[in-house]
Amino acid sequence: DSMNPEQILNQINTYKVNRIVSSPFFIKNLSTYIINNNVASIPSLKKIFTGGAPVFPSEAALYNKAFPEAKVEIVYGSTEAEPISSITANELMNESGNFLKTGLKVGIPFRKSQVKIIKIINEAILCTNEKEFNDIILPLGSIGEIIVCGPHVLKEYFNNDVALKQNKIFFKDTCWHRTGDSGYMDEKNQIFLTGRCSTLIYYKNRIIAPFIYEKYFSSLEEIEMGTVLQLNNKLLAIIELKAKAKKKAIVEQIRSVDIDFDEIKF
C-alpha cells in the first residue's frame, strides 16, 4: 500500500528496465500514476508479466494505455503450477462486454501443461483405472474444477500427507494438481475462470459464480462493492453504495443482469 509510483518510475528510467514481473496491484498503481500524470512512453520497457490475482478487462485496458509499447501478459497459475495459461492484455481488454456471461478468460494452456475440467468433488479423489478417471472429466463448456499436469507441476508437499491427498490426483504415472478454481474450457481450448469451487452457488438448476458478479457490481459507478449470497433458499444481491448514490437507478442496473434475485439488500 505504501508503494511510491513516482520513485519506481524514476528507477525504471534510470536503469533502463526492460521487464517487469509483479502483482496486478503493482502494475495497476503504476499504470494509474502514468496516465494521471501524462507520463511519456518508456521506450526501454518491452515486457510485463503479471498474475497471482484476477485481472479483468478494464484493468487490462488500463495497462495497455499506460504501456502502449510493451507486451503485457497476464499469467494464470497457482503456487504448485505456474504457469497454467496466459493471455495478453490486448486480447483480454476486448472481452469487456462478455465476461459477465462467459467468466474471466485466462487464455490457452501453457505448452507444457495439460488441463482438464472435472466434477466438483469435495473429498480426496482416487482413480485406480481409466474408467474412474474418465468418469470425473466434464465435457467442453461445463463448469467444474480445473486440474493441470506437466513437468513444472509440484508433485509433493513437505511433511503434509493431508494436502497431498486433497490436492493431487495420481493416475498411471501422472500427477494432476487440483487448483480449487472453477471454470470451463471452450472448443478453442481457451480457459475461463468462474471463481473458487467453494464459493459457487447452486440455484434453480444453474451454477452461479459470485466472483463474476462481484466484479460486475464494483464496475458500476455508484457501487462501492457487492456480492451474491444464498440465504434461507433465497438468492440475494448485497450492495454497498457510494455516497449520494441513487438506489433506484442501481436497482434497475442489477435487475438487468441474467439473475432473477429474490432480494436486493443495501
Side-chain angles (χ1 to χ4, degrees), residues 13 42 51 61 88 101 118 142 152 159 168 192 205 210 245:
N13 287 321
I42 308 167
T88 64
K101 292 181 180 178
I118 63 169
S142 298
H152 64 310
N159 288 346
K168 306 294 177 184
F192 293 79
N205 297 318

Side-chain angles (χ1 to χ4, degrees), residues 83-129:
I84 293 174
S85 67
S86 67
I87 186 171
T88 64
N90 196 48
E91 183 181 354
L92 180 59
M93 66 182 278
N94 294 323
E95 298 287 317
S96 58
N98 301 326
F99 84 86
L100 189 59
K101 292 181 180 178
T102 62
L104 179 60
K105 187 175 176 180
V106 291
I108 61 171
F110 168 56
R111 60 188 174 83
K112 292 190 177 183
S113 294
Q114 284 188 66
V115 174
K116 294 186 184 294
I117 310 297
I118 63 169
K119 296 173 183 177
I120 295 175
I121 300 168
N122 292 327
E123 62 266 16
I125 298 174
L126 297 173
C127 294
T128 57
N129 57 60

Side-chain angles (χ1 to χ4, degrees), residues 5-197:
E6 183 181 12
Q7 183 180 345
I8 290 163
L9 192 61
N10 288 337
Q11 291 170 338
I12 289 171
N13 287 321
T14 299
Y15 297 103
K16 304 287 188 289
V17 170
N18 58 24
R19 280 174 293 182
I20 297 176
V21 182
S22 76
S23 69
F25 177 86
F26 183 97
I27 299 297
K28 186 177 181 180
N29 276 15
L30 198 56
S31 299
T32 302
Y33 177 85
I34 287 169
I35 292 166
N36 290 345
N37 291 277
N38 297 311
V39 175
S41 64
I42 308 167
S44 67
L45 194 57
K46 303 301 181 188
K47 290 183 180 180
I48 297 172
F49 297 91
T50 187
V55 175
F56 285 84
S58 58
E59 291 161 47
L62 186 74
Y63 303 165
N64 269 354
K65 186 176 180 181
F67 304 103
E69 296 175 18
K71 181 183 178 182
V72 184
E73 196 151 354
I74 296 139
V75 179
Y76 165 59
S78 68
T79 304
E80 299 95 334
E82 184 78 56
I84 293 174
S85 67
S86 67
I87 186 171
T88 64
N90 196 48
E91 183 181 354
L92 180 59
M93 66 182 278
N94 294 323
E95 298 287 317
S96 58
N98 301 326
F99 84 86
L100 189 59
K101 292 181 180 178
T102 62
L104 179 60
K105 187 175 176 180
V106 291
I108 61 171
F110 168 56
R111 60 188 174 83
K112 292 190 177 183
S113 294
Q114 284 188 66
V115 174
K116 294 186 184 294
I117 310 297
I118 63 169
K119 296 173 183 177
I120 295 175
I121 300 168
N122 292 327
E123 62 266 16
I125 298 174
L126 297 173
C127 294
T128 57
N129 57 60
E130 199 152 341
K131 182 182 183 304
E132 289 178 353
F133 185 69
N134 289 335
D135 282 349
I136 65 173
I137 296 171
L138 293 174
L140 293 176
S142 298
I143 293 176
E145 183 177 5
I146 298 167
I147 64 170
V148 58
C149 74
H152 64 310
V153 175
L154 186 83
K155 295 176 175 60
E156 57 186 323
Y157 297 94
F158 181 68
N159 288 346
N160 196 337
D161 288 339
V162 174
L164 191 71
K165 289 176 182 176
Q166 186 61 42
N167 297 322
K168 306 294 177 184
I169 303 170
F170 292 98
F171 175 61
K172 293 185 176 178
D173 295 326
T174 304
C175 170
W176 291 87
H177 174 65
R178 301 175 65 180
T179 63
D181 292 330
S182 72
Y184 65 93
M185 294 180 76
D186 68 6
E187 65 283 349
K188 295 179 180 177
N189 205 33
Q190 300 175 116
I191 305 171
F192 293 79
L193 292 184
T194 52
R196 298 291 289 170
C197 294

